[in-house]
Amino acid sequence: MVEQESRERLREIVLEAALPHIAFDGWTVAALRAGAAAAGLEESEATVLFPRGPLEAIEVHMTLADRHMIEDVSALDPQPRGAAAMVRAACHARLERHAPHREAVRRAVARLSLPQNAPLALRSLYRTVDAIWLLADDRSTDFSYYTKRATLGAIYAAVLQVWLNDRSEDLSATWAFLDRRLEEVAIIGKTRSRLQRCGAQLSRFRAFSPRFR
């Protein structure tokens, strides 16, 4: 177990050292080898640590980003109150962490958009939105478990695209876009609740109205 943990930490160190090179060379073996050298290792260690190559490195990068997001949000004092506030805080924390390496993220997104990499892209997106909902203390086990994650997955993917091209001061365009998406979801949720209440009232009305018998 200790050896496995040490290997995982070494992978993360090499990956973080490789990010500046990835911004120029893309997610390539050459960039990973440069990261290994920058971390004080032999370049050949890159292929030992990432035997499946750059795609494995992207997956490690996404997993590390999830962990950093959880740590950053958990350290907030006071904690965000309510699901929307927690989602907003998690997106802020994640993208602000990514800010110095936006080009590396852009190249990862481009790589994951290829059809053959769709399973990894979906798996990584699911882990991210699941982590956000767990931060929001969502413990649902019914069908809403899936709808919440699908909805947030669509929101996060859209926000990420805006962030990648945002040149506004303090990323104000990204945060405004995120707020609009969260408000739209809130409105949809309220509308659904009202329709469900109306449906329940109509069912009671039908029982007393000859027209509906």
Side-chain angles (χ1 to χ4, degrees), residues 12-172:
E12 293 170 0
I13 291 171
V14 169
L15 177 58
E16 290 177 331
L19 287 175
H21 302 279
I22 290 169
F24 293 98
D25 299 330
W27 290 85
T28 60
V29 172
L32 295 177
R33 289 171 66 88
L41 302 175
E42 294 292 333
E43 289 188 359
S44 59
E45 284 294 309
T47 55
V48 176
L49 292 170
F50 301 100
R52 291 187 286 112
L55 279 179
E56 184 175 8
I58 291 176
E59 188 166 17
V60 171
H61 172 65
M62 299 286 283
T63 301
L64 182 59
D66 289 338
R67 195 177 79 227
H68 283 159
M69 176 184 68
I70 293 169
E71 292 171 351
D72 291 345
V73 174
S74 298
L76 293 176
D77 186 19
Q79 283 284 289
R81 299 186 64 178
M86 183 59 78
V87 169
R88 185 179 293 105
C91 289
H92 274 252
R94 188 183 188 88
L95 297 180
E96 285 168 358
R97 272 267 193 173
H98 280 327
H101 306 294
R102 182 153 47 174
E103 188 56 35
V105 175
R106 186 192 311 278
R107 289 173 176 267
V109 170
R111 190 76 177 264
L112 290 176
S113 68
L114 298 175
Q116 65 268 28
N117 297 330
L120 174 57
L122 291 173
R123 187 165 64 247
S124 298
L125 179 60
Y126 171 81
R127 281 199 298 254
T128 296
V129 298
D130 186 56
I132 294 174
W133 276 119
L134 290 178
L135 281 169
D137 200 31
D138 176 66
R139 296 293 184 269
S140 58
T141 56
D142 56 7
F143 189 70
S144 67
Y145 176 96
Y146 301 100
T147 58
K148 287 177 179 178
R149 281 151 181 79
T151 300
L152 182 54
I155 291 174
Y156 179 74
V159 170
L160 183 61
Q161 289 298 324
V162 173
W163 175 81
L164 286 172
N165 298 288
D166 189 357
R167 295 296 179 265
S168 62
E169 186 175 357
D170 298 325
L171 298 175
S172 58

